Amino acid sequence: MSHRIITIGRQFGSGGRQLGQRLSQELHIPMYDRELVEMAADKLGLSPVSIEKVDESALNTFLATYQLPLNTGFPESYGLPLNDTAYLAQSSIIETLAKRGSCIIIGRCGDYVLRDNPDCINVFICASMEDRKKRIMERYHMKEREAVSAIKSADKRRKNYYETYTGRKWGSIDSHQMLLNISLLGEDTAAYLIRSLYEAPAI
């Protein structure tokens, strides 16, 4: 079996990242999430915090007009806005990681970047608002109103980022091989389904 890549898109608070961590342990393959931000920052000579802000604010007016200097170590970035440059850098890193071996890519348009890779399994994870609120409230010690606001804000950023760079609808069945509702399936079943597809003789 040639090595396979799992990309996971997810609603904020759906448990997609936790599912990725579980699959990483069960399949014994690395998972990349914030590491992609750090790698891109290193490639561009910027701080990870700067890249993370761009990653979550692709339509920010200031960043859309800010241009990087020539000496970034990433020639393709010359003359491009910072948000576009961050996307190109992360895409380049995702492609490199996919060539090295099996892994799990969380978010960052991984499914689109690897759209021509026949060994890429792309999944979108969603969940009920009640479950998402509960997860965010517990994780970040927020009140219910704060959790709802955080969920709506994060989902909007992810939707804008994905649709800006892919031209596809975020969370659509047309954009992903599988849409899994964690609230209806449960994490165990969701993990089993993805693991089964990963381990199948052919996609």
Side-chain angles (χ1 to χ4, degrees):
M1 181 182 75
S2 59
H3 64 263
R4 290 177 176 167
I5 313 301
I6 298 172
T7 67
I8 299 179
R10 73 281 185 231
Q11 292 178 319
F12 185 61
S14 64
R17 188 177 190 281
Q18 289 73 22
L19 181 60
Q21 291 174 322
R22 173 173 176 166
L23 289 168
S24 175
Q25 295 175 351
E26 293 179 353
L27 296 172
H28 306 291
I29 59 176
M31 185 189 88
Y32 300 100
D33 183 9
R34 179 174 168 77
E35 294 85 355
L36 294 170
V37 176
E38 296 171 347
M39 291 176 188
D42 182 66
K43 190 166 190 175
L44 297 175
L46 299 172
S47 70
V49 173
S50 298
I51 292 294
E52 190 166 62
K53 287 181 178 179
V54 177
D55 191 26
E56 296 181 346
S57 310
L59 302 183
N60 182 280
T61 303
F62 172 75
L63 292 175
T65 58
Y66 181 81
Q67 294 185 339
L68 287 171
L70 181 60
N71 60 348
T72 60
F74 191 56
E76 298 93 324
S77 68
Y78 180 62
L80 288 179
L82 180 56
N83 50 356
D84 293 341
T85 302
Y87 171 75
L88 287 177
Q90 288 189 136
S91 296
S92 175
I93 291 168
I94 289 172
E95 290 174 344
T96 298
L97 293 172
K99 291 177 182 177
R100 288 181 182 174
S102 296
C103 63
I104 298 169
I105 303 293
I106 303 295
R108 295 170 179 84
C109 306
D111 61 290
Y112 181 76
V113 174
L114 301 176
R115 62 191 179 280
D116 295 325
N117 187 330
D119 293 315
C120 179
I121 299 166
N122 54 79
V123 183
F124 189 88
I125 303 299
C126 58
S128 69
M129 179 57 78
E130 285 304 310
D131 286 349
R132 296 166 69 194
K133 282 192 300 184
K134 181 179 179 181
R135 187 175 284 110
I136 295 305
M137 289 169 66
E138 291 177 352
R139 185 187 306 167
Y140 298 108
H141 307 290
M142 289 182 174
K143 295 181 180 179
E144 182 175 359
R145 182 178 297 180
E146 295 173 326
V148 171
S149 178
I151 288 170
K152 290 181 177 179
S153 179
D155 277 358
K156 182 178 180 179
R157 288 196 303 269
R158 290 178 180 179
K159 180 178 186 293
N160 286 343
Y161 185 80
Y162 183 86
E163 296 184 356
T164 294
Y165 290 109
T166 70
R168 298 178 175 180
K169 186 176 180 180
W170 183 69
S172 167
I173 193 63
D174 295 324
S175 305
H176 305 86
Q177 293 168 339
M178 290 196 296
L179 303 184
L180 301 179
N181 188 321
I182 290 288
S183 297
L184 297 178
L185 291 171
E187 185 182 298
D188 290 345
T189 300
Y192 170 78
L193 290 172
I194 299 172
R195 189 172 62 249
S196 296
L197 186 57
Y198 177 89
E199 295 173 339
I203 295 178

